[in-house]
Amino acid sequence: MASTGSTFSVIGSDVTIKGDITASADLHIDGQIEGDIACASLVQGESSHIAGAISAESARIGGAVTGSITARELVVLQNARIEGDVHYDTLTIEQGAAVEGRFAHRETGKHHAVEPALPDDDSEPKLHIAS
């Protein structure tokens, strides 16, 4: 189904939400969230804190996250602090970002555990370090 326009929702820095958020729109979060988030695209502001699992097609994480992140395209900005496992198709991490957890490439269409990346195999995911 074709979209008639770009829609996004903003959760301001003065907002605290306790509960899960599901959105078909893109989200920009500057506030505090205690719950899981599922959306098409997520942009997290530097002062934001999310305590819960994140699932998005694309995510730009700039604040604190306590919980797992699953995204097709993930960018971890330099001020980001993540405590939890990260599942991705493509990943960019800026210098200065901190992650305490495991990274795992999502394997679409496969039903077994993700194998560690082998340095000589070009089919494995690439890790991009932004300066």
Side-chain angles (χ1 to χ4, degrees), residues 6-71:
S6 179
T7 305
F8 69 94
S9 297
V10 176
I11 298 173
S13 60
D14 61 330
V15 177
T16 298
I17 296 176
K18 294 183 180 183
D20 296 345
I21 298 173
T22 303
S24 58
D26 299 343
L27 289 178
H28 183 108
I29 298 176
D30 287 322
Q32 312 303 308
I33 308 297
E34 293 181 26
D36 297 343
I37 298 172
C39 61
S41 177
L42 173 68
V43 175
Q44 181 193 28
E46 195 174 301
S47 62
S48 172
H49 183 264
I50 298 170
I54 296 172
S55 178
E57 281 296 306
S58 67
R60 291 181 60 86
I61 305 300
V65 175
T66 305
S68 65
I69 300 173
T70 302

Side-chain angles (χ1 to χ4, degrees), residues 91-95 127-131:
L91 175 65
T92 302
I93 302 176
E94 289 185 352
Q95 186 173 3
L127 174 66
H128 307 281
I129 305 296
S131 56

Side-chain angles (χ1 to χ4, degrees), residues 51-87:
I54 296 172
S55 178
E57 281 296 306
S58 67
R60 291 181 60 86
I61 305 300
V65 175
T66 305
S68 65
I69 300 173
T70 302
R72 184 180 52 78
E73 181 180 328
L74 178 62
V75 177
V76 182
L77 302 175
Q78 68 181 10
N79 294 318
R81 301 291 176 259
I82 299 171
E83 293 181 27
D85 293 344
V86 177
H87 307 273

